Amino acid sequence: GQSLEQPSEVTAVEGAIVQINCTYQTSGFYGLSWYQQHDGGAPTFLSYNALDGLEETGRFSSFLSRSDSYGYLLLQELQMKDSASYFCAVRGSSNTGKLIFGQGTTLQVKP
Amino acid sequence: DGGITQSPKYLFRKEGQNVTLSCEQNLNHDAMYWYRQDPGQGLRLIYYSQIVNDFQKGDIAEGYSVSREKKESFPLTVTSAQKNPTAFYLCASTSRNEQFFGPGTRLTVL
């Protein structure tokens, strides 16, 4: 089967740093993406890693290790507005954009 | 502004009725997708289309149907064969490695 594992909930305080891990087991792998979804809203794209290493975009960074089938999303200088659900997703095919999503991690940022 | 629109935002359906959810995009993307999201869960793929007049089943296609007659439009029909249709439905399109999502339709079966 194909599966992605991520923690169901994470809590942190404003200004802190939090890391959300994702491990995957899929029949094909062409990249790991991260999406943010606020309650009741649509998911929005945060990052994409096709190669090993760290990608940085402002306060958010994403890391991938293909040999470990593992990635993480790092959020720095947490703000209250970062409270949301975060999903990792694997692109399992090179000729379609189909994504396999994890169950999501709910991040609660406290003052 | 380019984007994806879905209508209606909220939809109520009686058991045994078919209902069609609209999805329109003006991003000029070839590939479009329909996902279902249940409370506290991830997104599960219902159907996808990579090009006009072609579509493929996703992981949970039973009880759903789609059409892709125009590049801009990818409507989803929830049929009476879908046993538990109450959910949040999201339409998306793809550009390279990013999926763009519409605002979603929340379907409730009464």
Side-chain angles (χ1 to χ4, degrees), chain A residues 33 35 37 40-43 45 48 87 91 95-99 101-103, chain B residues 33 35 37 40-43 45 48 50 88 90 96-99 101-102 106:
Chain A
S33 300
Y35 287 80
Q37 184 181 32
F45 174 81
Y48 175 78
F87 296 89
R91 179 176 178 178
N95 59 357
T96 77
K98 281 175 53 179
L99 295 178
F101 282 83
Q103 297 283 73
Chain B
Y33 309 82
Y35 293 94
Q37 187 176 32
Q41 302 296 311
L43 282 66
L45 183 65
Y48 66 101
Q50 291 188 260
F88 188 43
L90 288 156
R96 301 185 70 178
N97 300 311
E98 179 177 349
Q99 287 202 0
F101 287 85
R106 197 166 296 277

PDB file of all heavy atoms in Angstrom, chain A residues 33 35 37 40-43 45 48 87 91 95-99 101-103, chain B residues 33 35 37 40-43 45 48 50 88 90 96-99 101-102 106:
ATOM      1  N   SER A  33       5.583  17.517  -1.291  1.00  0.00           N
ATOM      2  CA  SER A  33       5.023  18.869  -1.176  1.00  0.00           C
ATOM      3  C   SER A  33       4.432  19.072   0.205  1.00  0.00           C
ATOM      4  O   SER A  33       4.098  18.118   0.907  1.00  0.00           O
ATOM      5  CB  SER A  33       3.906  19.082  -2.204  1.00  0.00           C
ATOM      6  OG  SER A  33       4.368  18.914  -3.513  1.00  0.00           O
ATOM      7  N   TYR A  35       1.366  21.553   2.138  1.00  0.00           N
ATOM      8  CA  TYR A  35       0.236  22.453   1.970  1.00  0.00           C
ATOM      9  C   TYR A  35      -0.274  22.879   3.336  1.00  0.00           C
ATOM     10  O   TYR A  35      -0.228  22.111   4.304  1.00  0.00           O
ATOM     11  CB  TYR A  35      -0.896  21.766   1.189  1.00  0.00           C
ATOM     12  CG  TYR A  35      -0.593  21.604  -0.288  1.00  0.00           C
ATOM     13  CD1 TYR A  35       0.216  20.565  -0.744  1.00  0.00           C
ATOM     14  CD2 TYR A  35      -1.089  22.509  -1.220  1.00  0.00           C
ATOM     15  CE1 TYR A  35       0.518  20.431  -2.085  1.00  0.00           C
ATOM     16  CE2 TYR A  35      -0.794  22.379  -2.569  1.00  0.00           C
ATOM     17  CZ  TYR A  35       0.003  21.342  -2.987  1.00  0.00           C
ATOM     18  OH  TYR A  35       0.299  21.221  -4.322  1.00  0.00           O
ATOM     19  N   GLN A  37      -3.634  24.476   5.383  1.00  0.00           N
ATOM     20  CA  GLN A  37      -5.088  24.642   5.272  1.00  0.00           C
ATOM     21  C   GLN A  37      -5.634  25.216   6.572  1.00  0.00           C
ATOM     22  O   GLN A  37      -5.550  24.563   7.619  1.00  0.00           O
ATOM     23  CB  GLN A  37      -5.774  23.314   4.955  1.00  0.00           C
ATOM     24  CG  GLN A  37      -7.276  23.446   4.726  1.00  0.00           C
ATOM     25  CD  GLN A  37      -7.949  22.111   4.437  1.00  0.00           C
ATOM     26  OE1 GLN A  37      -7.528  21.076   4.947  1.00  0.00           O
ATOM     27  NE2 GLN A  37      -8.999  22.133   3.618  1.00  0.00           N
ATOM     28  N   GLY A  40     -11.780  25.328   7.507  1.00  0.00           N
ATOM     29  CA  GLY A  40     -12.850  25.685   6.585  1.00  0.00           C
ATOM     30  C   GLY A  40     -12.390  26.221   5.247  1.00  0.00           C
ATOM     31  O   GLY A  40     -13.215  26.513   4.375  1.00  0.00           O
ATOM     32  N   GLY A  41     -11.079  26.343   5.070  1.00  0.00           N
ATOM     33  CA  GLY A  41     -10.561  26.935   3.833  1.00  0.00           C
ATOM     34  C   GLY A  41      -9.975  25.910   2.879  1.00  0.00           C
ATOM     35  O   GLY A  41     -10.038  24.710   3.118  1.00  0.00           O
ATOM     36  N   ALA A  42      -9.402  26.411   1.805  1.00  0.00           N
ATOM     37  CA  ALA A  42      -8.767  25.551   0.818  1.00  0.00           C
ATOM     38  C   ALA A  42      -7.289  25.403   1.142  1.00  0.00           C
ATOM     39  O   ALA A  42      -6.669  26.311   1.682  1.00  0.00           O
ATOM     40  CB  ALA A  42      -8.934  26.163  -0.571  1.00  0.00           C
ATOM     41  N   PRO A  43      -6.689  24.269   0.799  1.00  0.00           N
ATOM     42  CA  PRO A  43      -5.241  24.122   0.973  1.00  0.00           C
ATOM     43  C   PRO A  43      -4.490  25.092   0.071  1.00  0.00           C
ATOM     44  O   PRO A  43      -4.915  25.360  -1.057  1.00  0.00           O
ATOM     45  CB  PRO A  43      -4.981  22.674   0.535  1.00  0.00           C
ATOM     46  CG  PRO A  43      -6.302  21.988   0.628  1.00  0.00           C
ATOM     47  CD  PRO A  43      -7.320  23.032   0.303  1.00  0.00           C
ATOM     48  N   PHE A  45      -0.423  25.964  -1.321  1.00  0.00           N
ATOM     49  CA  PHE A  45       0.897  25.393  -1.515  1.00  0.00           C
ATOM     50  C   PHE A  45       1.941  26.146  -0.697  1.00  0.00           C
ATOM     51  O   PHE A  45       1.964  27.372  -0.659  1.00  0.00           O
ATOM     52  CB  PHE A  45       1.235  25.477  -3.007  1.00  0.00           C
ATOM     53  CG  PHE A  45       2.631  25.064  -3.373  1.00  0.00           C
ATOM     54  CD1 PHE A  45       2.958  23.728  -3.512  1.00  0.00           C
ATOM     55  CD2 PHE A  45       3.613  26.016  -3.576  1.00  0.00           C
ATOM     56  CE1 PHE A  45       4.238  23.352  -3.873  1.00  0.00           C
ATOM     57  CE2 PHE A  45       4.891  25.648  -3.929  1.00  0.00           C
ATOM     58  CZ  PHE A  45       5.210  24.314  -4.080  1.00  0.00           C
ATOM     59  N   TYR A  48       7.916  22.523  -2.278  1.00  0.00           N
ATOM     60  CA  TYR A  48       8.082  21.278  -3.021  1.00  0.00           C
ATOM     61  C   TYR A  48       9.561  20.911  -3.026  1.00  0.00           C
ATOM     62  O   TYR A  48      10.413  21.747  -3.322  1.00  0.00           O
ATOM     63  CB  TYR A  48       7.586  21.452  -4.454  1.00  0.00           C
ATOM     64  CG  TYR A  48       7.823  20.265  -5.358  1.00  0.00           C
ATOM     65  CD1 TYR A  48       7.005  19.144  -5.280  1.00  0.00           C
ATOM     66  CD2 TYR A  48       8.852  20.259  -6.299  1.00  0.00           C
ATOM     67  CE1 TYR A  48       7.200  18.055  -6.123  1.00  0.00           C
ATOM     68  CE2 TYR A  48       9.049  19.175  -7.132  1.00  0.00           C
ATOM     69  CZ  TYR A  48       8.230  18.082  -7.038  1.00  0.00           C
ATOM     70  OH  TYR A  48       8.429  16.999  -7.866  1.00  0.00           O
ATOM     71  N   PHE A  87      -0.310  19.582   5.581  1.00  0.00           N
ATOM     72  CA  PHE A  87      -0.344  18.279   4.927  1.00  0.00           C
ATOM     73  C   PHE A  87       0.928  18.069   4.111  1.00  0.00           C
ATOM     74  O   PHE A  87       1.325  18.960   3.346  1.00  0.00           O
ATOM     75  CB  PHE A  87      -1.539  18.174   3.978  1.00  0.00           C
ATOM     76  CG  PHE A  87      -2.869  18.242   4.653  1.00  0.00           C
ATOM     77  CD1 PHE A  87      -3.501  19.451   4.865  1.00  0.00           C
ATOM     78  CD2 PHE A  87      -3.496  17.080   5.072  1.00  0.00           C
ATOM     79  CE1 PHE A  87      -4.738  19.509   5.495  1.00  0.00           C
ATOM     80  CE2 PHE A  87      -4.734  17.128   5.697  1.00  0.00           C
ATOM     81  CZ  PHE A  87      -5.347  18.344   5.914  1.00  0.00           C
ATOM     82  N   ARG A  91       4.169  13.183  -4.769  1.00  0.00           N
ATOM     83  CA  ARG A  91       3.870  12.989  -6.189  1.00  0.00           C
ATOM     84  C   ARG A  91       4.472  11.652  -6.570  1.00  0.00           C
ATOM     85  O   ARG A  91       5.688  11.482  -6.532  1.00  0.00           O
ATOM     86  CB  ARG A  91       4.465  14.111  -7.026  1.00  0.00           C
ATOM     87  CG  ARG A  91       4.204  13.942  -8.513  1.00  0.00           C
ATOM     88  CD  ARG A  91       4.727  15.105  -9.312  1.00  0.00           C
ATOM     89  NE  ARG A  91       4.514  14.895 -10.741  1.00  0.00           N
ATOM     90  CZ  ARG A  91       4.839  15.767 -11.678  1.00  0.00           C
ATOM     91  NH1 ARG A  91       5.388  16.923 -11.349  1.00  0.00           N
ATOM     92  NH2 ARG A  91       4.607  15.487 -12.940  1.00  0.00           N
ATOM     93  N   ASN A  95       4.351  11.317 -14.909  1.00  0.00           N
ATOM     94  CA  ASN A  95       3.559  11.847 -16.017  1.00  0.00           C
ATOM     95  C   ASN A  95       2.172  12.315 -15.617  1.00  0.00           C
ATOM     96  O   ASN A  95       1.372  12.676 -16.471  1.00  0.00           O
ATOM     97  CB  ASN A  95       3.455  10.811 -17.146  1.00  0.00           C
ATOM     98  CG  ASN A  95       2.823   9.517 -16.666  1.00  0.00           C
ATOM     99  OD1 ASN A  95       2.509   9.366 -15.497  1.00  0.00           O
ATOM    100  ND2 ASN A  95       2.661   8.584 -17.581  1.00  0.00           N
ATOM    101  N   THR A  96       1.879  12.302 -14.329  1.00  0.00           N
ATOM    102  CA  THR A  96       0.658  12.953 -13.842  1.00  0.00           C
ATOM    103  C   THR A  96       1.032  13.788 -12.634  1.00  0.00           C
ATOM    104  O   THR A  96       2.052  13.570 -12.004  1.00  0.00           O
ATOM    105  CB  THR A  96      -0.440  11.961 -13.424  1.00  0.00           C
ATOM    106  OG1 THR A  96      -0.119  11.419 -12.141  1.00  0.00           O
ATOM    107  CG2 THR A  96      -0.593  10.834 -14.430  1.00  0.00           C
ATOM    108  N   GLY A  97       0.156  14.743 -12.302  1.00  0.00           N
ATOM    109  CA  GLY A  97       0.400  15.556 -11.114  1.00  0.00           C
ATOM    110  C   GLY A  97      -0.305  15.022  -9.893  1.00  0.00           C
ATOM    111  O   GLY A  97      -0.448  15.727  -8.894  1.00  0.00           O
ATOM    112  N   LYS A  98      -0.726  13.771  -9.963  1.00  0.00           N
ATOM    113  CA  LYS A  98      -1.471  13.177  -8.841  1.00  0.00           C
ATOM    114  C   LYS A  98      -0.659  13.237  -7.561  1.00  0.00           C
ATOM    115  O   LYS A  98       0.540  12.935  -7.551  1.00  0.00           O
ATOM    116  CB  LYS A  98      -1.767  11.707  -9.147  1.00  0.00           C
ATOM    117  CG  LYS A  98      -2.911  11.468 -10.082  1.00  0.00           C
ATOM    118  CD  LYS A  98      -3.034   9.977 -10.396  1.00  0.00           C
ATOM    119  CE  LYS A  98      -3.106   9.117  -9.168  1.00  0.00           C
ATOM    120  NZ  LYS A  98      -3.258   7.692  -9.479  1.00  0.00           N
ATOM    121  N   LEU A  99      -1.327  13.605  -6.478  1.00  0.00           N
ATOM    122  CA  LEU A  99      -0.696  13.659  -5.172  1.00  0.00           C
ATOM    123  C   LEU A  99      -1.373  12.681  -4.217  1.00  0.00           C
ATOM    124  O   LEU A  99      -2.582  12.480  -4.263  1.00  0.00           O
ATOM    125  CB  LEU A  99      -0.795  15.066  -4.581  1.00  0.00           C
ATOM    126  CG  LEU A  99      -0.058  16.186  -5.314  1.00  0.00           C
ATOM    127  CD1 LEU A  99      -0.303  17.517  -4.622  1.00  0.00           C
ATOM    128  CD2 LEU A  99       1.435  15.891  -5.400  1.00  0.00           C
ATOM    129  N   PHE A 101      -1.920  12.380  -0.257  1.00  0.00           N
ATOM    130  CA  PHE A 101      -1.832  13.256   0.901  1.00  0.00           C
ATOM    131  C   PHE A 101      -1.741  12.462   2.203  1.00  0.00           C
ATOM    132  O   PHE A 101      -2.346  11.402   2.358  1.00  0.00           O
ATOM    133  CB  PHE A 101      -3.062  14.165   0.982  1.00  0.00           C
ATOM    134  CG  PHE A 101      -3.018  15.328   0.036  1.00  0.00           C
ATOM    135  CD1 PHE A 101      -3.409  15.188  -1.281  1.00  0.00           C
ATOM    136  CD2 PHE A 101      -2.572  16.570   0.465  1.00  0.00           C
ATOM    137  CE1 PHE A 101      -3.359  16.257  -2.164  1.00  0.00           C
ATOM    138  CE2 PHE A 101      -2.522  17.646  -0.408  1.00  0.00           C
ATOM    139  CZ  PHE A 101      -2.918  17.485  -1.725  1.00  0.00           C
ATOM    140  N   GLY A 102      -0.996  13.027   3.159  1.00  0.00           N
ATOM    141  CA  GLY A 102      -1.023  12.527   4.521  1.00  0.00           C
ATOM    142  C   GLY A 102      -2.298  12.987   5.213  1.00  0.00           C
ATOM    143  O   GLY A 102      -3.089  13.747   4.656  1.00  0.00           O
ATOM    144  N   GLN A 103      -2.498  12.533   6.430  1.00  0.00           N
ATOM    145  CA  GLN A 103      -3.721  12.841   7.181  1.00  0.00           C
ATOM    146  C   GLN A 103      -3.733  14.252   7.741  1.00  0.00           C
ATOM    147  O   GLN A 103      -4.768  14.733   8.203  1.00  0.00           O
ATOM    148  CB  GLN A 103      -3.899  11.846   8.323  1.00  0.00           C
ATOM    149  CG  GLN A 103      -4.078  10.413   7.859  1.00  0.00           C
ATOM    150  CD  GLN A 103      -5.473  10.160   7.336  1.00  0.00           C
ATOM    151  OE1 GLN A 103      -5.851  10.604   6.254  1.00  0.00           O
ATOM    152  NE2 GLN A 103      -6.267   9.437   8.098  1.00  0.00           N
TER     153      GLN A 103
ATOM    154  N   TYR B  33      -8.397  18.130 -10.851  1.00  0.00           N
ATOM    155  CA  TYR B  33      -8.587  17.055  -9.874  1.00  0.00           C
ATOM    156  C   TYR B  33      -9.796  17.346  -8.991  1.00  0.00           C
ATOM    157  O   TYR B  33     -10.114  18.501  -8.721  1.00  0.00           O
ATOM    158  CB  TYR B  33      -7.352  16.942  -8.957  1.00  0.00           C
ATOM    159  CG  TYR B  33      -6.053  16.857  -9.691  1.00  0.00           C
ATOM    160  CD1 TYR B  33      -5.425  18.001 -10.173  1.00  0.00           C
ATOM    161  CD2 TYR B  33      -5.436  15.623  -9.921  1.00  0.00           C
ATOM    162  CE1 TYR B  33      -4.235  17.927 -10.862  1.00  0.00           C
ATOM    163  CE2 TYR B  33      -4.251  15.545 -10.609  1.00  0.00           C
ATOM    164  CZ  TYR B  33      -3.644  16.701 -11.080  1.00  0.00           C
ATOM    165  OH  TYR B  33      -2.470  16.621 -11.768  1.00  0.00           O
ATOM    166  N   TYR B  35     -11.085  16.200  -5.091  1.00  0.00           N
ATOM    167  CA  TYR B  35     -10.760  15.539  -3.841  1.00  0.00           C
ATOM    168  C   TYR B  35     -11.964  15.590  -2.902  1.00  0.00           C
ATOM    169  O   TYR B  35     -12.762  16.513  -2.949  1.00  0.00           O
ATOM    170  CB  TYR B  35      -9.602  16.239  -3.130  1.00  0.00           C
ATOM    171  CG  TYR B  35      -8.271  16.162  -3.831  1.00  0.00           C
ATOM    172  CD1 TYR B  35      -7.858  17.182  -4.692  1.00  0.00           C
ATOM    173  CD2 TYR B  35      -7.421  15.088  -3.621  1.00  0.00           C
ATOM    174  CE1 TYR B  35      -6.631  17.121  -5.321  1.00  0.00           C
ATOM    175  CE2 TYR B  35      -6.181  15.023  -4.247  1.00  0.00           C
ATOM    176  CZ  TYR B  35      -5.803  16.050  -5.095  1.00  0.00           C
ATOM    177  OH  TYR B  35      -4.586  15.985  -5.720  1.00  0.00           O
ATOM    178  N   GLN B  37     -12.687  15.552   1.314  1.00  0.00           N
ATOM    179  CA  GLN B  37     -12.067  15.671   2.627  1.00  0.00           C
ATOM    180  C   GLN B  37     -13.126  15.482   3.697  1.00  0.00           C
ATOM    181  O   GLN B  37     -14.138  16.182   3.718  1.00  0.00           O
ATOM    182  CB  GLN B  37     -11.378  17.032   2.793  1.00  0.00           C
ATOM    183  CG  GLN B  37     -10.580  17.144   4.066  1.00  0.00           C
ATOM    184  CD  GLN B  37      -9.822  18.456   4.180  1.00  0.00           C
ATOM    185  OE1 GLN B  37     -10.253  19.488   3.699  1.00  0.00           O
ATOM    186  NE2 GLN B  37      -8.658  18.411   4.819  1.00  0.00           N
ATOM    187  N   GLY B  40     -11.167  16.242   9.906  1.00  0.00           N
ATOM    188  CA  GLY B  40      -9.936  15.769  10.518  1.00  0.00           C
ATOM    189  C   GLY B  40      -9.119  14.825   9.661  1.00  0.00           C
ATOM    190  O   GLY B  40      -8.193  14.185  10.175  1.00  0.00           O
ATOM    191  N   GLN B  41      -9.423  14.749   8.394  1.00  0.00           N
ATOM    192  CA  GLN B  41      -8.725  13.819   7.509  1.00  0.00           C
ATOM    193  C   GLN B  41      -7.991  14.537   6.394  1.00  0.00           C
ATOM    194  O   GLN B  41      -8.199  15.727   6.158  1.00  0.00           O
ATOM    195  CB  GLN B  41      -9.739  12.842   6.896  1.00  0.00           C
ATOM    196  CG  GLN B  41     -10.527  12.036   7.907  1.00  0.00           C
ATOM    197  CD  GLN B  41      -9.635  11.118   8.713  1.00  0.00           C
ATOM    198  OE1 GLN B  41      -8.815  10.389   8.154  1.00  0.00           O
ATOM    199  NE2 GLN B  41      -9.758  11.165  10.028  1.00  0.00           N
ATOM    200  N   GLY B  42      -7.162  13.773   5.691  1.00  0.00           N
ATOM    201  CA  GLY B  42      -6.478  14.307   4.524  1.00  0.00           C
ATOM    202  C   GLY B  42      -7.390  14.305   3.310  1.00  0.00           C
ATOM    203  O   GLY B  42      -8.583  14.012   3.403  1.00  0.00           O
ATOM    204  N   LEU B  43      -6.804  14.642   2.175  1.00  0.00           N
ATOM    205  CA  LEU B  43      -7.550  14.701   0.926  1.00  0.00           C
ATOM    206  C   LEU B  43      -7.441  13.366   0.194  1.00  0.00           C
ATOM    207  O   LEU B  43      -6.347  12.814   0.062  1.00  0.00           O
ATOM    208  CB  LEU B  43      -6.986  15.814   0.035  1.00  0.00           C
ATOM    209  CG  LEU B  43      -7.372  17.248   0.347  1.00  0.00           C
ATOM    210  CD1 LEU B  43      -6.816  17.714   1.677  1.00  0.00           C
ATOM    211  CD2 LEU B  43      -6.911  18.172  -0.763  1.00  0.00           C
ATOM    212  N   LEU B  45      -8.339  11.390  -3.446  1.00  0.00           N
ATOM    213  CA  LEU B  45      -8.581  11.693  -4.852  1.00  0.00           C
ATOM    214  C   LEU B  45      -9.776  10.909  -5.382  1.00  0.00           C
ATOM    215  O   LEU B  45      -9.824   9.685  -5.275  1.00  0.00           O
ATOM    216  CB  LEU B  45      -7.330  11.359  -5.669  1.00  0.00           C
ATOM    217  CG  LEU B  45      -7.371  11.688  -7.152  1.00  0.00           C
ATOM    218  CD1 LEU B  45      -7.476  13.189  -7.377  1.00  0.00           C
ATOM    219  CD2 LEU B  45      -6.119  11.130  -7.846  1.00  0.00           C
ATOM    220  N   TYR B  48      -9.476  12.483 -11.737  1.00  0.00           N
ATOM    221  CA  TYR B  48      -8.606  13.506 -12.285  1.00  0.00           C
ATOM    222  C   TYR B  48      -8.644  13.458 -13.806  1.00  0.00           C
ATOM    223  O   TYR B  48      -9.005  12.433 -14.403  1.00  0.00           O
ATOM    224  CB  TYR B  48      -7.177  13.383 -11.764  1.00  0.00           C
ATOM    225  CG  TYR B  48      -6.425  12.143 -12.192  1.00  0.00           C
ATOM    226  CD1 TYR B  48      -5.491  12.193 -13.214  1.00  0.00           C
ATOM    227  CD2 TYR B  48      -6.627  10.924 -11.546  1.00  0.00           C
ATOM    228  CE1 TYR B  48      -4.781  11.064 -13.587  1.00  0.00           C
ATOM    229  CE2 TYR B  48      -5.929   9.796 -11.919  1.00  0.00           C
ATOM    230  CZ  TYR B  48      -5.004   9.861 -12.929  1.00  0.00           C
ATOM    231  OH  TYR B  48      -4.311   8.731 -13.304  1.00  0.00           O
ATOM    232  N   GLN B  50      -6.306  14.848 -17.185  1.00  0.00           N
ATOM    233  CA  GLN B  50      -5.068  15.476 -17.640  1.00  0.00           C
ATOM    234  C   GLN B  50      -5.264  16.293 -18.899  1.00  0.00           C
ATOM    235  O   GLN B  50      -4.397  17.107 -19.256  1.00  0.00           O
ATOM    236  CB  GLN B  50      -4.002  14.401 -17.884  1.00  0.00           C
ATOM    237  CG  GLN B  50      -3.532  13.741 -16.594  1.00  0.00           C
ATOM    238  CD  GLN B  50      -2.359  12.824 -16.831  1.00  0.00           C
ATOM    239  OE1 GLN B  50      -2.509  11.614 -16.921  1.00  0.00           O
ATOM    240  NE2 GLN B  50      -1.174  13.389 -16.930  1.00  0.00           N
ATOM    241  N   PHE B  88     -16.513  17.592   2.468  1.00  0.00           N
ATOM    242  CA  PHE B  88     -16.019  18.820   1.869  1.00  0.00           C
ATOM    243  C   PHE B  88     -15.335  18.421   0.566  1.00  0.00           C
ATOM    244  O   PHE B  88     -14.452  17.565   0.565  1.00  0.00           O
ATOM    245  CB  PHE B  88     -15.035  19.485   2.835  1.00  0.00           C
ATOM    246  CG  PHE B  88     -14.573  20.855   2.453  1.00  0.00           C
ATOM    247  CD1 PHE B  88     -15.452  21.802   1.957  1.00  0.00           C
ATOM    248  CD2 PHE B  88     -13.245  21.224   2.614  1.00  0.00           C
ATOM    249  CE1 PHE B  88     -15.035  23.085   1.633  1.00  0.00           C
ATOM    250  CE2 PHE B  88     -12.797  22.509   2.292  1.00  0.00           C
ATOM    251  CZ  PHE B  88     -13.698  23.437   1.795  1.00  0.00           C
ATOM    252  N   LEU B  90     -13.178  19.405  -2.820  1.00  0.00           N
ATOM    253  CA  LEU B  90     -12.212  20.382  -3.318  1.00  0.00           C
ATOM    254  C   LEU B  90     -11.813  20.054  -4.745  1.00  0.00           C
ATOM    255  O   LEU B  90     -11.499  18.907  -5.069  1.00  0.00           O
ATOM    256  CB  LEU B  90     -10.972  20.389  -2.429  1.00  0.00           C
ATOM    257  CG  LEU B  90     -11.155  21.010  -1.054  1.00  0.00           C
ATOM    258  CD1 LEU B  90     -10.121  20.474  -0.075  1.00  0.00           C
ATOM    259  CD2 LEU B  90     -11.053  22.536  -1.143  1.00  0.00           C
ATOM    260  N   ARG B  96       2.993  22.673 -13.114  1.00  0.00           N
ATOM    261  CA  ARG B  96       4.267  22.101 -12.704  1.00  0.00           C
ATOM    262  C   ARG B  96       4.104  21.345 -11.398  1.00  0.00           C
ATOM    263  O   ARG B  96       3.410  20.349 -11.327  1.00  0.00           O
ATOM    264  CB  ARG B  96       5.326  23.202 -12.620  1.00  0.00           C
ATOM    265  CG  ARG B  96       5.530  23.916 -13.948  1.00  0.00           C
ATOM    266  CD  ARG B  96       6.644  24.915 -13.915  1.00  0.00           C
ATOM    267  NE  ARG B  96       7.945  24.255 -13.825  1.00  0.00           N
ATOM    268  CZ  ARG B  96       9.093  24.892 -13.824  1.00  0.00           C
ATOM    269  NH1 ARG B  96       9.130  26.205 -13.902  1.00  0.00           N
ATOM    270  NH2 ARG B  96      10.238  24.229 -13.732  1.00  0.00           N
ATOM    271  N   ASN B  97       4.709  21.809 -10.318  1.00  0.00           N
ATOM    272  CA  ASN B  97       4.705  21.049  -9.070  1.00  0.00           C
ATOM    273  C   ASN B  97       3.761  21.610  -8.024  1.00  0.00           C
ATOM    274  O   ASN B  97       3.844  21.222  -6.858  1.00  0.00           O
ATOM    275  CB  ASN B  97       6.122  20.993  -8.513  1.00  0.00           C
ATOM    276  CG  ASN B  97       7.071  20.323  -9.459  1.00  0.00           C
ATOM    277  OD1 ASN B  97       6.792  19.253  -9.968  1.00  0.00           O
ATOM    278  ND2 ASN B  97       8.204  20.964  -9.731  1.00  0.00           N
ATOM    279  N   GLU B  98       2.877  22.512  -8.398  1.00  0.00           N
ATOM    280  CA  GLU B  98       1.976  23.136  -7.447  1.00  0.00           C
ATOM    281  C   GLU B  98       0.537  22.887  -7.837  1.00  0.00           C
ATOM    282  O   GLU B  98       0.164  23.047  -9.003  1.00  0.00           O
ATOM    283  CB  GLU B  98       2.245  24.644  -7.394  1.00  0.00           C
ATOM    284  CG  GLU B  98       1.341  25.406  -6.455  1.00  0.00           C
ATOM    285  CD  GLU B  98       1.684  26.876  -6.375  1.00  0.00           C
ATOM    286  OE1 GLU B  98       2.751  27.271  -6.898  1.00  0.00           O
ATOM    287  OE2 GLU B  98       0.885  27.640  -5.801  1.00  0.00           O
ATOM    288  N   GLN B  99      -0.270  22.485  -6.844  1.00  0.00           N
ATOM    289  CA  GLN B  99      -1.711  22.366  -7.082  1.00  0.00           C
ATOM    290  C   GLN B  99      -2.394  23.593  -6.506  1.00  0.00           C
ATOM    291  O   GLN B  99      -2.111  24.020  -5.391  1.00  0.00           O
ATOM    292  CB  GLN B  99      -2.279  21.085  -6.463  1.00  0.00           C
ATOM    293  CG  GLN B  99      -1.887  19.847  -7.235  1.00  0.00           C
ATOM    294  CD  GLN B  99      -2.806  18.661  -7.024  1.00  0.00           C
ATOM    295  OE1 GLN B  99      -3.781  18.728  -6.281  1.00  0.00           O
ATOM    296  NE2 GLN B  99      -2.493  17.549  -7.694  1.00  0.00           N
ATOM    297  N   PHE B 101      -6.046  25.187  -5.466  1.00  0.00           N
ATOM    298  CA  PHE B 101      -7.344  24.689  -5.038  1.00  0.00           C
ATOM    299  C   PHE B 101      -8.417  25.761  -5.117  1.00  0.00           C
ATOM    300  O   PHE B 101      -8.159  26.957  -4.893  1.00  0.00           O
ATOM    301  CB  PHE B 101      -7.269  24.181  -3.599  1.00  0.00           C
ATOM    302  CG  PHE B 101      -6.533  22.886  -3.463  1.00  0.00           C
ATOM    303  CD1 PHE B 101      -5.156  22.853  -3.353  1.00  0.00           C
ATOM    304  CD2 PHE B 101      -7.225  21.681  -3.452  1.00  0.00           C
ATOM    305  CE1 PHE B 101      -4.470  21.655  -3.240  1.00  0.00           C
ATOM    306  CE2 PHE B 101      -6.542  20.472  -3.329  1.00  0.00           C
ATOM    307  CZ  PHE B 101      -5.171  20.459  -3.226  1.00  0.00           C
ATOM    308  N   GLY B 102      -9.642  25.305  -5.409  1.00  0.00           N
ATOM    309  CA  GLY B 102     -10.798  26.168  -5.280  1.00  0.00           C
ATOM    310  C   GLY B 102     -11.220  26.256  -3.828  1.00  0.00           C
ATOM    311  O   GLY B 102     -10.680  25.557  -2.967  1.00  0.00           O
ATOM    312  N   ARG B 106     -19.200  22.398   0.454  1.00  0.00           N
ATOM    313  CA  ARG B 106     -19.524  21.542   1.591  1.00  0.00           C
ATOM    314  C   ARG B 106     -20.893  20.921   1.331  1.00  0.00           C
ATOM    315  O   ARG B 106     -21.910  21.622   1.306  1.00  0.00           O
ATOM    316  CB  ARG B 106     -19.534  22.345   2.886  1.00  0.00           C
ATOM    317  CG  ARG B 106     -19.452  21.486   4.139  1.00  0.00           C
ATOM    318  CD  ARG B 106     -19.125  22.325   5.359  1.00  0.00           C
ATOM    319  NE  ARG B 106     -17.793  22.943   5.285  1.00  0.00           N
ATOM    320  CZ  ARG B 106     -16.663  22.358   5.598  1.00  0.00           C
ATOM    321  NH1 ARG B 106     -16.664  21.098   6.007  1.00  0.00           N
ATOM    322  NH2 ARG B 106     -15.521  23.016   5.529  1.00  0.00           N
TER     323      ARG B 106
END
